Amino acid sequence: MKIDVVSVFPEYLQPLDLSLIGRAREKGLIDLGVHDLRRWTHDVHHSVDAAPAGGGAGMVMKPQPWGECLDELVFDAGEARPRLLVTSPAGRPFTQAMARELAAEPWLMFACGRYEGIDQRVVDYAADRMEVTEVSIGDYVLFGGEVAVLAIVEAVARLVPGVLGNAASLDDESHNAGLLEAPAYAKPAEWRGHAIPPVLLSGDHGKVDRWRRDQALLRTAAARPDLLERLDPGSLDQRDRRL
Ligand SMILES: COC(=O)COc1cccc(COC(=O)c2cn[nH]c2)c1
């Protein structure tokens, strides 16, 4: 998978060089490119923003640097087109389902907005030439899209085959089967007056699986009843319904 990120703060994306993403890049599973939008400015101040048309507070990212960035990274680079993701408070909520959707894409490009946002014409112009999705990591406003890109790239990268060593850990993690994950424990069996639930030390894998399923349902009902609403009824067995 090829991933490009365009930002006025490329150093914000350095954490992607660490840990899992770093190894994935070494293995050639992910080809990550981070680009400074100011590379496509030509004035002495490398300005990327301008006063909002129609007045109002703040500044808007002007279209010209984005247009020339897309020319160089996309249009002049060949026939292939990336899926363009613009992280934004006004975007489609990012979920594990979208992470799975994005992990299947051969090429993702992230545009990091800042200030009051990117001139809408950049989004419209790009949408005429490639798939564009505005995506939100939550209902709040950040200074810029870089933090959202870090979260999205991490969630997507770990789903790329080969990136996560033990693929099994993907199976029953939170939000995979539409439920939150059961609580996890490690030795010692007793810690500061708190014991590991005995079933987990029983060696009876059937009982352990059942206990984890029950805990996942109870936890989801308590913390995220909205997820239960969305569950496919077919995925709940008789015992589940009684919980
Ligand atoms: C067309 O889209 C844009 O212009 C995006 O513009 C902006 C404006 C302000 C802040 C951001 C950064 O994203 C978030 O704050 C965000 C993402 N997820 N949750 C909060 C982006």
Side-chain angles (χ1 to χ4, degrees):
M1 168 185 280
K2 181 171 164 61
I3 299 178
D4 285 301
V5 184
V6 182
S7 163
V8 290
F9 284 115
E11 60 275 21
Y12 225 114
L13 286 302
Q14 263 155 25
L16 292 179
D17 289 337
L18 310 174
S19 76
L20 273 178
I21 311 278
R23 279 222 307 279
R25 293 175 74 184
E26 284 155 23
K27 286 193 216 169
L29 295 168
I30 293 175
D31 168 18
L32 176 72
V34 178
H35 313 276
D36 184 344
L37 180 67
R38 295 188 198 277
R39 195 166 118 199
W40 292 282
T41 60
H42 310 293
D43 61 305
V44 67
H45 298 297
H46 300 290
S47 67
V48 292
D49 60 333
M59 301 291 273
V60 172
M61 298 188 100
K62 56 190 196 178
Q64 168 269 324
W66 286 104
E68 293 185 26
C69 165
L70 288 171
D71 287 343
E72 181 173 332
L73 298 185
V74 182
F75 304 124
D76 299 348
E79 295 304 303
R81 293 292 177 263
R83 177 158 178 189
L84 181 63
L85 298 156
V86 184
T87 49
S88 163
R92 180 174 138 200
F94 181 66
T95 61
Q96 191 66 14
M98 189 193 284
R100 285 193 289 270
E101 182 189 314
L102 296 181
E105 295 282 352
W107 183 12
L108 297 177
M109 177 173 286
F110 291 88
C112 299
R114 205 151 262 268
Y115 316 113
E116 298 312 306
I118 302 171
D119 186 305
Q120 185 58 36
R121 290 171 293 178
V122 175
V123 174
D124 297 343
Y125 175 86
D128 287 343
R129 293 160 176 80
M130 66 191 86
E131 187 175 358
V132 178
T133 310
E134 285 187 55
V135 57
S136 164
I137 60 167
D139 292 338
Y140 39 78
V141 182
L142 303 166
F143 279 121
E146 290 78 7
V147 165
V149 170
L150 286 174
I152 294 168
V153 168
E154 186 165 319
V156 172
R158 60 192 294 282
L159 299 179
V160 170
V163 171
L164 205 55
N166 164 17
S169 53
L170 283 176
D171 294 344
D172 54 5
E173 63 184 2
S174 283
H175 300 287
N176 190 37
L179 292 176
L180 302 184
E181 205 169 3
Y185 300 83
K187 296 230 179 316
E190 180 84 24
W191 176 76
R192 295 191 181 190
H194 294 262
I196 292 178
V199 65
L200 296 180
L201 303 174
S202 69
D204 181 334
H205 296 296
K207 272 191 183 170
V208 170
D209 289 347
R210 187 71 254 169
W211 181 86
R212 284 184 173 146
R213 170 82 181 174
D214 292 352
Q215 290 297 313
L217 286 162
L218 291 168
R219 253 188 161 191
T220 308
R224 291 295 304 278
D226 58 300
L227 292 180
L228 281 186
E229 301 299 316
R230 272 193 260 147
L231 257 190
D232 161 21
S235 68
L236 294 173
D237 65 29
Q238 279 311 321
R239 205 177 174 287
D240 290 338
R241 295 173 199 285
R242 277 204 304 277
L243 274 175

